[in-house]
Amino acid sequence: MSPSISILNQPHLPALEPFRAAVPPVLTRLLHHPDYFPIRTWSRIFKSDSGEDGYFANTLASPSTIPHVCTLRRQPELLAPLSDAAPAWPAPTSVSQIENPDLYLVLQLATPGISGHPSTAHGGLLATCIDEAMSYAVALRAPETGAAGALSAHHPRGMLYTAQLDIRYRAPVVVPSYTLVQAKVLARVGRKFWVHAQILQPDEMAESQLSVTTDAIAFWLQTKASL
């Protein structure tokens, strides 16, 4: 199936609507950045025939959890070439922000449905959001595997699975809030992918800036269609 008709390549402007008001200016600028465009968030579409994505499309799609999500992908011609060597492991130890991410998730985080400590997002929820962003970043890079291929309009993430996820929680994520997840594929060796992702929130001291609250690296595997 041609990548041109993939959900990952089709602009979806309605995704911007819930974020047109009340979003911090630093995120508003990102929503209209010329290097990125909104696409449909595949995991927010519940697949009733299989039950797939019930967690992100139903459980985490309520007024008290994550009411709205906008996925922004980098223009295809601007995606950076991938390294063919695995990066250093474990997770990055620097808090410098990822440059030119492949993909962003802009999230409206509510409360109390995702709270761990008071007014603080649960760490497991943050891991979920990172994993979702990574899945799309890998899907942008993964070759087709047939009818359920990574670039298929019916199943854009294809046979892609998280094999290892290493996270550094650097600062609490305050809720309710608007939060950003950014992800970038670092390297690919055959069917193996390494991805870097971060969660950012507007800085309490300077809302025009974003601070890294969570830093992660993961190893992803694209399995064969027969699995």
Side-chain angles (χ1 to χ4, degrees):
M1 182 172 292
S2 171
S4 63
I5 63 173
S6 170
I7 194 173
L8 299 174
N9 294 297
Q10 293 298 304
H12 186 65
L13 295 180
L16 297 174
E17 289 301 325
F19 298 91
R20 292 196 184 278
V23 180
V26 65
L27 294 183
T28 299
R29 291 193 294 272
L30 177 61
L31 292 170
H32 301 285
H33 197 293
D35 292 349
Y36 295 85
F37 61 89
I39 59 175
R40 295 191 72 182
T41 304
W42 176 256
S43 59
R44 295 289 274 195
I45 305 170
F46 179 57
K47 321 316 184 281
S48 58
D49 57 337
S50 64
E52 182 184 3
D53 289 319
Y55 182 42
F56 213 64
N58 290 343
T59 305
L60 294 181
S62 74
S64 67
T65 55
I66 306 178
H68 300 291
V69 178
C70 179
T71 301
L72 302 169
R73 66 151 295 172
R74 192 162 175 80
Q75 298 282 357
E77 67 275 13
L78 298 179
L79 291 175
L82 296 181
S83 171
D84 58 1
W89 196 274
T93 56
S94 170
V95 294
S96 59
Q97 293 186 24
I98 298 170
E99 294 186 3
N100 302 320
D102 295 342
L103 182 132
Y104 292 105
L105 285 187
V106 184
L107 305 163
Q108 182 185 10
L109 300 182
T111 190
I114 62 171
S115 296
H117 294 290
S119 303
T120 305
H122 192 286
L125 180 281
L126 300 179
T128 294
C129 294
I130 284 174
D131 192 70
E132 288 298 314
M134 286 181 166
S135 74
Y136 281 101
V138 176
L140 295 178
R141 304 289 195 157
E144 293 187 61
T145 56
L151 296 179
S152 165
H154 301 292
H155 203 302
R157 292 184 295 181
M159 302 291 189
L160 302 172
Y161 298 92
T162 315
Q164 186 171 351
L165 176 62
D166 187 23
I167 299 179
R168 298 290 186 269
Y169 295 101
R170 302 190 179 280
V173 172
V174 178
V175 290
S177 66
Y178 290 96
T179 301
L180 182 70
V181 186
Q182 56 185 13
K184 185 173 186 176
V185 179
L186 302 177
R188 174 190 171 193
V189 180
R191 293 183 288 109
K192 300 174 182 178
F193 297 83
W194 287 264
V195 196
H196 185 191
Q198 295 172 329
I199 295 178
L200 302 97
Q201 280 197 315
D203 194 292
E204 292 184 357
M205 304 300 294
E207 289 192 355
S208 62
Q209 299 179 7
L210 292 167
S211 297
V212 176
T213 66
T214 315
D215 206 13
I217 193 170
F219 165 60
W220 280 69
L221 182 65
Q222 181 182 28
T223 64
K224 296 180 179 179
S226 59
L227 180 66

